[in-house]
Every structure is written in C-alpha cells, then in structure tokens.
Amino acid sequence: MTDTSTPSAEETTATAAESAGTEETKKSESVASDSDLFRQSEIAADYVEGLLDILDYDGDIDELVSGGRPMVEVVGGRLQPLVGQRGATLEALQELTRLAIFRATGSPSRLLLDIGGYRATRRKELTAVARNAVEKVKEHGDAVRLEPMSAFERKCVHDVVNAIPGVESESEGVEPNRRIIVRPAD
C-alpha cells in the first residue's frame, strides 16, 4: 500500500535538516578532497625527486592540483630520456608514481606526471590530429581510424572531437593497441 499523505511539519523540518547536513558533508568532502589531492601531489613529488637523485638528473619539481587531479611537473634540461619514445618511459614513471601514492595513502590516484613539458606539446599535436580527422570525416562522410594511443592521448583527442558538432569519437581495441574512431554523429 502506498502512503499518499502529506508530510507533517516535523517530517518536513527533519528532511530539510538532513538535506542541509548532506550539503555540509559534500562541502567538507570537497575541501578534504582538495587537500587529499594536494597531499597526493606532494607524495608524488617526493617520489619523483628520489628517482631523479638516483638517476643523477637535475630538474625543478612543481606539485599542484588542476582539473580535480593531482599533478607533478618536472622541468629542466636533459630530461628527454625520462620521457622516452612517444612518452613510453613517462607513462611507466607515472604508473610507478601512482603506485607510490597508493602505498602511502591506500587509495588509487589519478596523478598526471609531466616531464619537460612533453604532455603540453603532445596535447597541441593531438589537437591538430583530431581536427584533421574531423575535417576528413566532414569532407568524405567516412569514419577515420587513428593510430593506437595511450589513455592520455585518447582523452586529448576525445575532448577536441566532442567539442565539435556533427562528429563523435569512440575508442576500440585493447591496450596497447587501443585507438580512436572518429565518425559522423548520428
């Protein structure tokens, strides 16, 4: 049987108080979340600094939180070996750094590690690749398959394609051969 009665004043007040309490909790969680994210970036910076010392590389390390995720940027000369071919070494170092965060906090991290500005440069390149694919799709009406990419690279392309009306993108395949298909939107 369904209760269709109107809530009493006491029930309405209790519901409003619970709702206000939920809002307070969400606000405090987001503040704690920002501090947790910064703590993750600090742990990551310490870990990366240790790696640089072991490898005898010099670099300035910046720790920050951007877009709701912890970030560590390493800037300096002679850092290309830490990036590797097409960012492969950088991706491996990022995963090791995420594991160090997990070991310290017990929580998985979405840390983004950048070395020598590689990710910013690669993001610009991928923007051009995505726009070129969109032009081909709009011109010929056929889907375009891009080369296999890392998760970071695919996200960059998806972000560009999703911002352009009339086209859509999706990922297919299995790592390390996961790629993006750009096609006309339905």
Side-chain angles (χ1 to χ4, degrees):
M1 183 168 168
T2 306
D3 181 10
T4 58
S5 63
T6 313
S8 69
E10 288 176 4
E11 291 172 331
T12 304
T13 305
T15 303
E18 288 172 11
S19 181
T22 303
E23 289 302 315
E24 289 292 321
T25 303
K26 286 181 184 176
K27 286 179 185 176
S28 66
E29 283 175 2
S30 69
V31 170
S33 166
D34 286 346
S35 67
D36 288 345
L37 294 176
F38 189 73
R39 174 76 180 121
Q40 288 179 22
S41 68
E42 289 177 325
I43 293 166
D46 290 343
Y47 180 79
V48 170
E49 184 176 14
L51 284 176
L52 291 176
D53 288 344
I54 291 168
L55 298 171
D56 197 27
Y57 280 95
D58 291 325
D60 293 327
I61 300 172
D62 293 325
E63 54 204 47
L64 55 135
V65 174
S66 178
R69 54 189 311 187
M71 294 182 65
V72 170
E73 297 175 347
V74 182
V75 182
R78 291 190 326 115
L79 295 174
Q80 182 55 39
L82 297 177
V83 174
Q85 186 176 7
R86 293 207 46 204
T89 305
L90 172 59
E91 291 291 330
L93 290 173
Q94 177 175 278
E95 287 306 309
L96 288 172
T97 307
R98 286 177 174 176
L99 286 172
I101 293 169
F102 182 78
R103 190 180 69 189
T105 66
S107 299
S109 175
R110 294 182 54 232
L111 172 85
L112 188 63
L113 176 64
D114 192 9
I115 298 176
Y118 173 80
R119 291 199 190 273
T121 302
R122 186 68 177 141
R123 187 176 281 120
K124 288 178 187 175
E125 293 169 358
L126 292 167
T127 297
V129 167
R131 288 189 175 138
N132 185 33
V134 166
E135 286 177 23
K136 286 181 182 178
V137 168
K138 286 187 171 187
E139 183 177 327
H140 301 290
D142 296 328
V144 173
R145 274 189 160 77
L146 301 177
E147 65 186 37
M149 298 178 187
S150 69
F152 163 77
E153 293 172 325
R154 290 192 310 272
K155 171 133 178 38
C156 292
V157 172
H158 283 305
D159 288 348
V160 171
V161 172
N162 289 335
I164 300 172
V167 292
E168 61 187 14
S169 62
E170 70 176 334
S171 295
E172 74 170 14
V174 178
E175 296 290 352
N177 296 313
R178 196 154 168 81
R179 67 181 66 231
I180 291 180
I181 314 273
V182 181
R183 64 173 48 98
D186 296 330

